[in-house]
Amino acid sequence: MSEESFDLVIRGQRVLAAAGTAPREVGVRLGKIAAIEPLGSGLHGADVIELADDECLLPGLVDTHVHVNEPGRTDWEGFASATRAAAAGGVTTIIDMPLNSIPPTTTVDGLKLKRAAAEDQAFVDVGFWGGAVPGNKTDLRPLHDEGVFGFKCFLLPSGVDEFPQLDAGELEADLAELKSFDALMIVHAEDSRTIDRAPHAGGPEYAKFLASRPRGAENEAIAEVIERARRTGARAHILHLSSSDALPLIASAKRDGVRLTVETCPHYLTLTAEEIPDGATAFKCCPPIREASNRELLWKGLQDGTIDCIVSDHSPSTLDLKDLENGDFAVAWGGVSSLQLGLSLIWTEARHRGIPLEQVVSWLSRKPAALARLTNKGQLAPGYDADFCIFAPDGTFVVDVTRLKHKNPITPYDGKALSGVVRRTFLRGQEIDGRTPRGRLLRRGGT
């Protein structure tokens, strides 16, 4: 084998490939994983990286729930800042949500504007969800043909006027349409009528805000999604599950053959309502962070397979929209900024629970890739993109919001001590340096 057989070779004692973690050598050619051999095989490359004793080689993470907000609300976030943050956290692929940008991605023209905004400033690979809103049923197939990975809808007001909610009948009609070309509907499942009957959220008390978004609102909406997915045979996905009460219903639907998948997010797995100070609107998100007992049941739902994957729901905003001066939970924008921190957040919790790193990486990489049908992402295996994260699982750091890469310096994790440090991130065999954007814009079924 010649010295130039591979563009890059990475060697280490802990390489997390599809068959598990072992001492291995990985050879990269033309941006793809071309060989995985036992350590000591002597693969040669133009560049060779020897992992330190405390480092693991992981597949790049896949985050299918990111609000980039560009164009239109680029002061909230943008493709350059969001993808730098992703890379700093070991994330090599994101899929951008169709709302909070102006225009939303509810038409092919909107998708083209989004792609034009992302072109030449993405540091990781970027795909796009389409949006399902009242009146755009005829836009769904053209968006699908243009390469969106599926369609997002809300069952209550989204928070932005340009992305209105579907009612149950519209949801079923759109699901039936998506079934005809086997597309995925991803759903923000909270029931607006239940929330309308709940107490008002006004003021700085977190307990009041929590009471204003009860578990029953999620449970009701999830039941609706399951019933409509059952009737149509379409694929449906529950976004950002926070109510553990819904787990038995979800498990039952899956056993019945309903084509249902479910995600949750780091904030629901690492934070608890009991520890949120009054007025701390950095913690506001919808559905909300719930009690410690609820958190424990979400972890059980992950471990038994009821919940499929973990994604960030990175939903940033400007500082003024968080109403930091008054700390009013009714006024503040709902969204948690965590795109850069997901692996360390989940690993910090998982290791205390005896959950191995391989399982964490599956939830954060392989499973989200499978959700989006990204067949060349999410695993360290021959033929896959050479997207890597070099991770030191025993390293520690304290979150400093001023050093995070996303645009606005606010996160509920500021000052939190975490385990696990992302040291380097590679996209198709090239290290992401934060200066040269090499990310590609992905289309469903290929680039």
Side-chain angles (χ1 to χ4, degrees):
M1 205 174 282
S2 75
E3 290 289 326
E4 299 300 318
S5 295
F6 297 100
D7 304 319
L8 171 68
V9 171
I10 302 179
R11 303 188 184 113
Q13 291 292 332
R14 291 188 283 176
V15 175
L16 199 165
T21 302
R24 293 188 172 98
E25 303 182 0
V26 179
V28 175
R29 188 182 295 122
L30 299 176
K32 298 282 187 181
I33 298 170
I36 301 176
E37 301 292 345
L39 188 63
S41 298
L43 299 184
H44 294 290
D47 290 310
V48 176
I49 294 172
E50 305 273 358
L51 298 183
D53 290 343
D54 67 339
E55 292 177 339
C56 297
L57 185 68
L58 311 180
L61 307 185
V62 177
D63 192 337
T64 54
H65 195 149
V66 179
H67 294 268
V68 177
N69 305 338
E70 187 174 8
R73 290 191 175 94
T74 312
D75 53 336
W76 296 20
E77 193 65 277
F79 284 102
S81 54
T83 56
R84 276 196 189 96
V91 177
T92 50
T93 303
I94 66 170
I95 303 188
D96 174 57
M97 283 292 162
L99 74 158
N100 299 348
S101 58
I102 302 173
T105 315
T106 53
T107 65
V108 169
D109 285 346
L111 175 63
K112 288 178 177 176
L113 286 169
K114 179 85 71 136
R115 284 199 170 120
E119 197 86 53
D120 301 325
Q121 58 168 334
F123 290 90
V124 303
D125 285 354
V126 179
F128 302 95
W129 296 109
V133 296
N136 85 325
K137 183 179 170 183
T138 58
D139 293 295
L140 302 181
R141 183 60 191 258
L143 278 163
H144 175 80
D145 291 345
E146 279 294 315
V148 299
F149 285 84
F151 298 88
K152 181 176 188 177
C153 71
F154 279 74
L155 300 184
L156 80 173
S158 71
V160 292
D161 292 341
E162 66 274 4
F163 202 96
Q165 74 198 74
L166 297 181
D167 64 29
E170 291 166 330
L171 171 66
E172 184 167 337
D174 282 358
L175 281 169
E177 174 72 7
L178 298 189
K179 172 65 166 63
S180 70
F181 44 92
D182 196 31
L184 176 67
M185 180 73 89
I186 64 174
V187 186
H188 182 126
E190 288 182 283
D191 180 65
S192 58
R193 294 160 300 182
T194 304
I195 289 173
D196 288 343
R197 294 191 294 267
H200 182 63
E205 292 179 46
Y206 187 76
K208 280 189 175 180
F209 170 64
L210 183 59
S212 77
R213 309 289 289 223
R215 297 186 205 190
E218 277 189 270
N219 306 337
E220 189 77 25
I222 289 167
E224 191 78 73
V225 173
I226 288 170
E227 181 57 30
R228 307 292 171 154
R230 191 192 306 272
R231 286 186 204 173
T232 60
R235 292 193 293 138
H237 177 75
I238 303 299
L239 296 165
H240 45 50
L241 178 71
S242 84
S243 171
S244 63
D245 292 351
L247 290 169
L249 181 65
I250 292 164
S252 175
K254 286 186 166 191
R255 285 193 299 270
D256 288 349
V258 177
R259 301 172 75 197
L260 186 71
T261 49
V262 182
E263 71 185 36
T264 192
C265 306
H267 36 282
Y268 304 127
L269 297 166
T270 65
L271 302 172
T272 63
E274 291 90 339
E275 69 185 2
I276 297 176
D278 288 347
T281 52
F283 291 81
K284 179 182 176 180
C285 54
C286 299
I289 297 157
R290 303 192 187 277
E291 303 84 356
S293 57
N294 182 84
R295 177 181 71 172
E296 298 314 303
L297 289 170
L298 291 177
W299 276 102
K300 288 181 180 176
L302 276 163
Q303 290 176 275
D304 68 21
T306 306
I307 301 172
D308 297 274
C309 59
I310 305 171
V311 293
S312 69
D313 188 12
H314 178 69
S315 184
S317 72
T318 55
L319 299 184
D320 61 301
L321 288 174
K322 278 293 190 180
D323 194 42
L324 299 175
E325 186 176 334
N326 302 308
D328 188 337
F329 280 98
V331 172
W333 176 258
V336 168
S337 294
S338 65
L339 178 55
Q340 186 171 332
L341 299 171
L343 176 55
S344 299
L345 286 165
I346 296 303
W347 174 234
T348 299
E349 285 287 328
R351 71 186 312 182
H352 292 317
R353 300 162 188 276
I355 298 170
L357 183 59
E358 291 86 350
Q359 179 62 76
V360 168
V361 172
S362 177
W363 288 327
L364 289 165
S365 189
R366 184 173 65 85
K367 293 291 190 69
L371 171 72
R373 294 184 171 175
L374 285 162
T375 57
N376 58 343
K377 302 285 190 183
Q379 293 188 62
L380 213 160
Y384 279 66
D385 285 355
D387 299 346
F388 306 130
C389 165
I390 296 178
F391 184 63
D394 297 324
T396 60
F397 69 103
V398 175
V399 178
D400 177 353
V401 72
T402 66
R403 301 184 66 184
L404 299 178
K405 304 292 187 185
H406 66 252
K407 184 166 283 187
N408 288 284
I410 185 169
T411 181
Y413 302 108
D414 190 29
K416 190 175 179 71
L418 298 179
S419 297
V421 176
V422 174
R423 292 195 174 150
R424 303 170 75 176
T425 305
F426 295 76
L427 182 68
R428 285 184 297 278
Q430 292 187 290
E431 185 166 7
I432 301 172
D433 61 8
R435 297 184 299 275
T436 307
R438 295 191 179 95
R440 294 178 181 170
L441 305 187
L442 305 178
R443 294 171 180 262
R444 176 194 45 78
T447 57

